[in-house]
Amino acid sequence: MSENIFDNIPKPADKEFFERLLLKNGLKIERIVSFGHATPELEWYDQKKDEWVILLKGEAVISFLNGDDVRLKAGDYINIAAHKKHKVSWTKPDEESIWLAVHY
């Protein structure tokens, strides 16, 4: 049985939507849906594992603690090394941004 990454997109809410699609042998794949969401200003992700993420729909900006910003549009992807502090500083407010994140 197959599923579609664009099915059952939740309605806009106060928080981003995280859905774990797969967890096996230390590998986690999740779908994230943002509607103008951003990481709180003083918070930074500091993950124990590497993360490969692709933006499937929408637009977003990922900011790194060193001051670099990466603007993403649909189809763009980035690999973020473990413990490289980062956050989502902007997502398009008038449509959903759909991410696929692979933590390995």
Side-chain angles (χ1 to χ4, degrees):
M1 182 170 132
S2 70
E3 297 184 47
N4 189 295
I5 198 78
F6 298 110
D7 285 349
N8 302 313
I9 300 298
K11 296 187 186 306
D14 291 339
K15 295 185 178 183
E16 282 182 301
F17 174 78
F18 291 82
E19 178 183 19
R20 185 172 55 205
L21 303 176
L22 176 81
L23 181 61
K24 186 172 183 172
N25 300 326
L27 175 77
K28 178 172 79 171
I29 300 174
E30 62 186 352
R31 176 175 73 165
I32 305 164
V33 181
S34 308
F35 294 92
H37 295 101
T39 308
E41 187 175 336
L42 299 177
E43 288 184 27
W44 295 92
Y45 292 112
D46 184 3
Q47 300 169 159
K48 294 179 181 180
K49 294 185 174 191
D50 293 339
E51 178 183 12
W52 180 89
V53 64
I54 185 169
L55 189 63
L56 301 173
K57 181 179 180 186
E59 295 179 36
V61 175
I62 297 178
S63 298
F64 293 90
L65 188 58
N66 68 1
D68 291 342
D69 289 337
V70 177
R71 184 171 189 89
L72 302 171
K73 60 185 182 336
D76 291 341
Y77 60 90
I78 187 172
N79 193 67
I80 303 169
H83 299 292
K84 186 167 185 176
K85 291 186 179 182
H86 66 284
K87 64 181 170 182
V88 176
S89 55
W90 177 85
T91 59
K92 196 168 185 179
D94 56 346
E95 77 172 288
E96 67 266 18
S97 293
I98 302 174
W99 311 74
L100 185 67
V102 179
H103 302 265
Y104 63 99

